[in-house]
Amino acid sequence: MARARSEAPGAARDAARGRLSRRALLGASAGGLAGLAASRLGGGVAQAAEAGSAKRDPDRPNALVIMLDRVRADYIGAYGGSAHTPNIDALARQSLRFEIALPEGLPALPARNALITAARTFPFRNWQVTKGLPAIPGWNPIYDYQPTLFELLDAGGVKASYITNNPMLSDDRFSDYVISTERLPSAGGDERLERGYLMPLQERRTPTKPQCDCETEDCGCPPGPPQGGAARRARREPTATVMRRALRELDSLKRNQPFFLGVDAFDPYELYEPPRAYVNKRLAPEIDDPFDSGFAFEPTDDRTVAAELIQVNASQATVDEVRARYAAELRAADRWVGRILNKLDDDGLADSTAVLLLSDGAMALGEQGIFGLPVDVSNRDVFRVPYMIRDPGGRRAGDESKFFPSTHDAGTTLLAMMGISRAGAMNGEDLSPLFADMEVPPRYHFTTGMAQTMLVANKRWLLLSDNELQQQRLFATPHKDDPGRIIERTAERPDTLSEMYATAIETVGGTFPAFDERRAVRPRQQRERHREWRKV
Amino acid sequence: MKLGGAGAAAAAVGSGAAGCASETYEPTVERRKPDVPNVLLIVSDSTRRDFIGAYNDKALAKTPSIDALAKRALVFDHAVPEEMPTGLMRRALMTGMRGFPLRDWVITKGLPNQPGWTNIHPDQPMLTNVLGNAGITTGYVTDNPFLVAPVYENWRRTLAFPDPKFSQAAFRGFNKPLHYTAPRSEIERYVLPRLNDTGEVGRLRSYVAWNNRYRTSESTYSAPRVMRDGMKLLERMRDHQPFFLGVDAFDPHEPFDPPKHYMERFGLQPKGIEKQGIIPIQPFLTPKSTVENMRLDDDSVEAVRELYAGELEMTDAWMGRLLNKLDDLGLADNTVVWYLSDHGVTLGEHGVLGKDENKPYTEIHRVPYMIRHPEGKRAGDRTTYFATTHDVAHTVLSLQGVPVPGKMTGEDLSVMFDGREPTARPYFVACYQDTYLCGDGRWTYVVDARYKNQRLFDNDNDPGEDHNVADENPEIVARLDRVLVESAGGTIPVFGRRKDSLRGVIGG
C-alpha cells in the first residue's frame, strides 16, 4: 500500500540547500502511486500523464548508479559521520537509505563484478588466477558465461553506459557499453602509488630530512617533505576523471532515454598499497619494524601488487591525522557526486531517473591497529558502506530501511524498476517492492568474504571465519556508545558460533570452497586419500 | 499476513480504491485482479517424451489430451529437468532454486539416502509461500508420496488448499495410513520370479490391499483421483481468483497397472511372461534392474512398454477431463496451463528397466514441457530452448506480477510470450542424483561425481544414446565438462560414500 509520505519537510530543507532538491520537490508529489504500479507490473494501469514528462515512457525510469571508491558509511553525514558530505546527505534525504549495507565481496573487484553481473561472487568458487591480477580469491574478470546488466538492458531497449577505469572491462564484449577513462598502470606497475590519507603513517616511519646543511639535527630549520611521499602522488584521481567523463556522457544520454549510467571509479592501488614502510617485509626487507604483518597473499609474481594487512602501533595523533585526511578525501568525492546530481537536475532528468549510490568496499583506518583491508577486524563500522536508492517518484524519500542490502542487489533492483526481467543467474534481491511498501524476502544475516575469510553477522553477532574452520572468532555487537569495544565470545557461545557458521554455509549453498594457489579445488575423495596413504 | 499482503498487491495493480488500507475482512470474491492470470500447473511423474504424440508421431501411447494442449501451447522440444528424480525435481519446482550440483544435500530422515534427497531448507523460498503472501490463492493436489509425507509438512502449510492423496503413499513406506496387506496369494500374478524374495513383494501386497479396499472403478485409480480433486479445486478456486493450482499426479509411475480397456488396443493376448500368468506391472526391483537379471525376453519387455503406455493413456485421459473442466468453468481464457514431467523411465533400452542413476540417458532426461498462454500467444510454436524445472517459479511469479525473490535462479520464460528471448542457455546442465549431464543439443555428456565414467553421445547419429564416443572426441568432452564445472559454480562437490552414509557432501 503506498501511502502518501510526508516528503515536505525534508524536501523543503533540500530546496534551501541544493539545486537537486528543487526539482525533486516538484516531482515528489506527482509520481506516487502511478510510478509504483508501473514499476511493478509494467502494465497499462498507471496513468502516464501523472508522471510529469510528456515525451518519455513513465514505466521506464532512467537509472544512475554511482559506485564510490572505498567509502565508509560511518564517515558520511547522513549516517552520522564527521566528514563534510552535503551532496550525499541531500541525496540521502530524497532516498531510501539502508542503515547497514555491506559490499558483496572484498576487496574492490568482487563487489564490482557483483554490481555488473547482479550475482553473488562470494564464496569465489569460480576463481581462477588471472594474469595481471593479484592472486586473491575473487579477483577474476567477468566470465563469458555470466550474464551482465549491460546485455539485459540493451535487449530491453535501454541505452547502457558504464564509465570506469576498471581494466577488467576492456573485453570486446563490453566495448559497446563501457567507457574506459584511462588505463591504469600495468599490474607490474612501474610506480608505486600511495594514498594521501595513509601518508601520516609513512611520515612517522621515515623521518624527514631537513632541507638545510646544518650539522646538528635540532638546528631549528623547517623540515623538508617526507621522503618517498607526497611527490609520488602527482597523478590524476580516478574519481575525478571518471566523474568528469560521466558529466559529458549525460549530455548524450539524455537524448537516448531510457538510459542506464554507471559511474565507477576504480582505484585498486589505494587499498593494497599501504605506505612503503609497511609493506610486507619480504618485499621491503630493509625496513625493520615491529609491526605484525602476518597476513599476505602470495603474489603471482614479484612485481604484482600484494594485498597486505598492516597492523601499526600508531599514536593517537597519527590515527587522527589519517582519519582527518580520509574525511577530506571523502569531501572531494562528495563534490563530484554533487556535480553529477546537479547535472541530472539541470537536464531535467531528476524526476525520471532512479539514483543508486553505493560503495565498493570498506577499509580500516586504525581500528584495532589496522589500516587498509580490514581482515581480522571485528569492528563492523569498517565494513559498512553507504547504500541509498532514490526513487524518481520520490517514494520513501528520507526513509531508512533495516534490510541488509548488498552490492549484487543493485542490478536486480534497477532492472525491476525499469521493468526488465532479470536473468536467472542474477541472484540479487529486488528491493523495488520496498518503494511500494511491500515486503522483500527477509535477510536475517549479511555475509561477505575477503578471500578465504568470511564474515557473517546479524544485529547481535559477528563471526569471522576462515574456510577451513581453523580460525573462527565470534564477536558481540558493542553498545552504540562505544562502538570500538571488542567483545569476543568465541569460547563462551559455541552454539551461537555454529549457528552463524551454519547460516554462512547455507548462504554459499552447502560447502565452502577450498583454494589452492590458483583456483578453488575439490577435496580429494576418501578412497583416493586412502590409496595415497597406502603408497606412502 | 495473507490478507495484508493481498491488499498491498491489489494496490500495486491499481485495482480497487487506492488508499483503502483497511484491516477489515473483505470477501475474497472481490479480490479478482483483472490483469493477473491464474496458473494451472500439471505435473505427471515418470513421463517419457517419446511416448507422447506431440513429440513423437510413432508414439506407442495415444495421448490426445496432451497433444491437444500442445497445439495451443508453446512446446519445448528439449526440456531437461535440472535435477532428477522425483524428490529432487519437486524441490527445484517448489523453491525455484537450482539444486544442481546438490551441494546443499543434507541426509534427511524419511527420504532415500541418496545424493540430493533432502527437504526444502528453511532458508529457501517457496513458490507457494511467495504467491500466498502476494494475495494469490494457492492449491496443490498430489498423490506424490514425498509431497504428502511428513518431510513436506512445512511446504503444505504454505497452501491455502492443500489436498494430499494417500493412494500412492500408502504402499511406499513413506507414510502408512494403511496397516493392511493383501495375502501373498493375491499378488502371485504380479511377482516376477526374480523378485520373489525382494522388497517389491511387500510393496505389491500393500498396493493390492489398497486397491481391494479403495479402488472400485477407473475413477478411483490414483491419477484419476488426483485429477478429479483438481477439478473440484478448480470449482472452489474459481471464487478465489487469481489462483495457482498444482495438480501433480504420481502416475504413470510403476506399478503399470491401467484399467483393462486401455490395454485393449494392444490386443489382449498374453505376451512373453504374461503367458506364464504373470503381469509385469512391477518389472524391476526399485529403482532399477537389468533386463537380463529379470530374465525377460523381448516380448515381455514389449508387454512392459504397453502397460506403461496404458498407464500414461489413463493419466492423459483424466488430464483431458481436468482441462475440459477448466474450459467449462470459463477459466481457460485467463489461466496459464503448464504441463511438465519430472523425468522419464527406461523400459528396456540399454538393457535397463527402471531408473538407473548411473544411466540417465535420453529416456530419462527428456520430458514433455509446454506452456499454454491464456491469450493464445505462440500457440503451437515449438522452441529448442533448454527449459527446465526451476524456471517454473520465476516465470509463474512474473506472469502473476509478483516480485521474484533473488534466490530463485530460474529464467523468466514469460518473456517468450512478449516476443523476446530469455537469457541464452546454449547448454543444458542437469543431474540425476550424483550423475551429471551436460549437452548442447548435438552432444550429450554424462559423468558421475567421481569422474570415473565419462560418456559422450552424438545425438545426431545416435539418438538412443547407445554408443559412447568420449574417447574419439576428447575436445568436445573437455568443452562440455568445462561448461558443467562452470555451471556448478567452479567445482563439482564430493559426496560421501553411500554405504557409510552419514556424511552427505564432503566439500567442493
Side-chain angles (χ1 to χ4, degrees), chain B residues 133-146:
Chain B
N133 288 342
I136 305 229
T137 319
T138 52
Y140 208 91
V141 47
T142 182
D143 60 347
N144 186 303
F146 301 102

Side-chain angles (χ1 to χ4, degrees), chain A residues 318-524:
Chain A
T318 312
V319 173
D320 288 347
E321 173 70 14
V322 168
R323 291 177 181 175
R325 289 200 193 193
Y326 176 75
E329 292 220 4
L330 257 186
R331 189 176 172 177
D334 173 77
R335 247 193 325 261
W336 280 106
V337 171
R339 279 177 202 155
I340 295 252
L341 294 177
N342 279 335
K343 169 83 175 160
L344 208 63
D345 219 352
D346 290 344
D347 291 348
L349 298 168
D351 299 342
S352 54
T353 304
V355 182
L356 197 152
L357 181 131
L358 74 169
S359 169
D360 69 324
M363 60 178 309
L365 293 167
E367 282 83 5
Q368 294 168 26
I370 290 180
F371 295 83
L373 188 64
V375 175
D376 247 16
V377 181
S378 68
N379 187 332
R380 48 182 77 204
D381 275 344
V382 308
F383 300 102
R384 277 172 61 213
V385 294
Y387 203 106
M388 52 189 81
I389 309 174
R390 178 182 176 277
D391 177 64
R395 287 172 290 157
R396 300 207 66 174
D399 267 12
E400 183 185 299
S401 172
K402 298 282 183 207
F403 186 81
F404 302 136
S406 186
T407 320
H408 59 305
D409 303 328
T412 38
T413 304
L414 291 173
L415 283 175
M417 287 174 118
M418 297 174 122
I420 297 172
S421 204
R422 69 172 161 90
M426 299 184 164
N427 54 12
E429 208 60 72
D430 169 13
L431 305 179
S432 67
L434 291 173
F435 292 105
D437 279 1
M438 286 158 72
E439 297 281 319
V440 291
R443 193 178 274 171
Y444 300 110
H445 298 79
F446 47 83
T447 38
T448 188
M450 290 160 285
Q452 299 171 46
T453 306
M454 75 171 122
L455 180 151
V456 197
N458 58 15
K459 290 198 174 88
R460 280 194 69 196
W461 301 102
L462 183 142
L463 172 74
L464 287 168
S465 170
D466 70 335
N467 57 340
E468 283 167 356
L469 309 186
Q470 300 300 315
Q471 282 191 323
Q472 290 193 313
R473 299 177 73 194
L474 181 75
F475 300 92
T477 308
H479 191 266
K480 64 178 186 298
D481 294 341
D482 185 14
R485 203 170 143 219
I486 304 165
I487 314 169
E488 185 164 352
R489 291 282 177 271
T490 315
E492 293 90 331
R493 300 294 294 260
D495 292 350
T496 312
L497 190 146
S498 51
E499 208 175 281
M500 299 287 284
Y501 187 72
T503 308
I505 287 298
E506 270 173 8
T507 310
V508 301
T511 60
F512 201 73
F515 299 102
D516 67 5
E517 302 83 37
R518 305 191 65 78
R519 59 171 65 83
V521 288
R522 302 177 85 195
R524 277 169 303 173

Side-chain angles (χ1 to χ4, degrees), chain B residues 16 34 64 83 108 126 167 172 203 302 324-325 383 387 396 398 408 444 460 479:
Chain B
E83 48 177 336
T108 307
M126 281 185 263
S167 56
R172 286 186 194 278
R203 199 172 288 150
E302 191 56 30
N324 283 339
K325 186 77 181 176
T383 172
V396 166
S398 184
M408 293 189 173
T444 303
D460 280 3
R479 173 168 61 95

